[in-house]
Amino acid sequence: MAPQHIVEVSQFDCEFLELLFSSADSMRSLPRPSDLQSGRILATIFYEPSTRTRLSFESAMLRLGGSVISTENAREFSSAIKGETVEDTIMMASGYADAIVIRHHEQGAALRAAAVSPVPILNGGDGPGEHPTQALLDLYTIRAELGRIDNLRIALVGDLRYGRTARSLALLSRLTTGVELVFVSPDSARMRDDIRDQLTVAGIAFRDETDLARVLPEVDVVYQTRIQKERFESEEDYLAAKGTYILNRAMYDLLNPNAIVMHPLPRVDEINPEVDADPRSAYFRQAHNGVLIRMALLNQVLGRR
Ligand code: NCD
């Protein structure tokens, strides 16, 4: 049987979402230790820095009773520096592990990995492309926090050009109904046309706004993101984009009392820690949900023992 890869948001449908979310719910009360994946090995191969994605995948596998092998900073410390291709690295690692999480600096790298891999590939972020497992945990968080995923107005804020989490969440919103997306970004970091075109085809309403203060009172979710310094072509463009949208106490005062603020993290200066204790700040709860969703995903692609 062909392995089940998790590479891009377009592969998901509503039925998959429903099953995954209820499986993630059930992971909360899983006995510890569990043996659902005992004897199985997950490899995490990361060519770009990561804290949450790698740690939460590893935590998820360990909580399921499986084991983990990993190479951090694979761009420098793996054979990539000797010129090994992603394809070769994956072919080799598939003999060492039952599933592989890959994060790579090139858009499309996870798809290339999946094309050759005999074991499931999970895309942990491919450059400025996609971050499908983050989008799943983001939508799961919205459902957990607000009790629904439909009929919501969601502001995506910050770097929508290079930010793969915002791109993937926008695409995933196609599986909800009655959503309206509001893109709030500096000029140099606007949502690209590939995503806009797919939203248009799916009939998803979206608009651009520049004034975050005006948007805050009217949205249910603010999805703040980091300006992706490492992906800007010039320092000048980065500096022009940086610091445009900062959520602080004064901005929170404008926010709808029932809204939530999310962020895939890490943050730099775009959310002031002075609002961390506000109940609407959902970003750390969001990060914790990553373990539940990734446990459910690993069970899904590996099958339960
Ligand atoms: C993000 C990423 O790597 O795309 N982090 C994450 O996975 N939670 C966001 C970022 O780096 O800004």
Side-chain angles (χ1 to χ4, degrees):
M1 218 174 71
Q4 190 190 347
H5 307 295
I6 303 288
V7 172
E8 57 192 4
V9 159
S10 331
Q11 71 186 84
F12 307 139
D13 60 19
C14 292
E15 195 191 340
F16 172 89
L17 267 195
E18 220 164 280
L19 286 173
L20 189 79
F21 287 179
S22 65
S23 165
D25 287 342
S26 70
M27 292 301 137
R28 268 182 216 283
S29 50
L30 197 69
R32 287 185 197 167
S34 139
D35 60 358
L36 286 177
Q37 297 301 338
S38 65
R40 294 227 169 102
I41 297 174
L42 176 71
T44 57
I45 303 181
F46 279 58
Y47 295 80
E48 274 193 341
S50 167
T51 308
R52 271 146 296 273
T53 304
R54 194 166 66 85
L55 286 184
S56 64
F57 259 117
E58 295 186 0
S59 169
M61 190 59 172
L62 295 172
R63 286 206 197 287
L64 292 169
S67 311
V68 172
I69 54 175
S70 72
T71 161
E72 187 188 4
N73 203 355
R75 201 169 176 172
E76 282 173 50
F77 296 145
S78 78
S79 293
I81 196 124
K82 304 180 188 166
E84 187 170 55
T85 62
V86 170
E87 284 84 350
D88 281 4
T89 303
I90 294 297
M91 286 302 284
M92 181 271 310
S94 66
Y96 303 162
D98 302 293
I100 299 170
V101 184
I102 181 173
R103 167 171 289 188
H104 201 275
H105 41 280
E106 286 166 21
Q107 187 163 349
L111 201 61
R112 279 167 48 208
V116 299
S117 181
V119 303
I121 295 292
L122 299 115
N123 180 4
D126 60 326
E130 278 218 41
H131 198 340
T133 70
Q134 177 75 38
L136 291 169
L137 82 88
D138 290 341
L139 195 60
Y140 179 72
T141 298
I142 292 173
R143 171 181 171 273
E145 295 282 327
L146 300 177
R148 66 184 201 282
I149 57 171
D150 295 322
N151 303 313
L152 293 169
R153 194 175 283 147
I154 303 175
L156 299 177
V157 184
D159 191 342
L160 309 183
R161 178 179 174 83
Y162 299 113
R164 55 197 173 198
T165 66
R167 287 167 52 78
S168 283
L169 184 57
L171 289 179
L172 192 61
S173 77
R174 292 176 300 171
L175 298 184
T176 69
T177 54
V179 72
E180 189 195 1
L181 300 177
V182 186
F183 299 150
V184 187
S185 65
D187 250 4
S188 56
R190 280 165 55 90
M191 185 63 87
R192 281 181 269 158
D193 286 343
D194 59 339
I195 303 289
R196 291 174 190 268
D197 293 347
Q198 294 181 73
L199 294 175
T200 303
V201 169
I204 298 293
F206 63 87
R207 64 187 153 94
D208 291 86
E209 288 283 351
T210 48
D211 186 355
L212 180 59
R214 238 186 57 198
V215 170
L216 291 178
E218 56 163 37
V219 295
D220 305 290
V221 177
V222 179
Y223 190 90
Q224 175 69 299
T225 63
R226 175 179 71 89
I227 303 296
Q228 308 277 299
K229 181 176 186 195
E230 66 277 28
R231 306 199 200 283
F232 273 76
E233 272 156 29
S234 78
E235 174 88 3
E236 198 187 336
D237 283 353
Y238 165 68
L239 290 174
K242 187 184 166 312
T244 313
Y245 301 112
I246 293 184
L247 290 168
N248 52 22
R249 177 46 52 205
M251 292 297 256
Y252 262 55
D253 287 343
L254 303 171
L255 189 63
N256 185 321
N258 300 316
I260 54 167
V261 173
M262 298 173 63
H263 192 307
L265 302 175
R267 67 176 152 187
V268 183
D269 58 359
E270 61 277 0
I271 302 181
N272 189 315
E274 70 188 4
V275 298
D276 287 355
D278 190 297
R280 294 168 294 181
S281 298
Y283 29 92
F284 292 116
R285 297 192 292 275
Q286 174 188 359
H288 294 162
N289 286 335
V291 177
L292 300 174
I293 279 290
R294 288 170 174 137
M295 288 171 82
L297 276 170
L298 290 171
N299 278 334
Q300 165 78 29
V301 300
L302 288 167
R304 288 197 180 205
R305 289 238 150 206

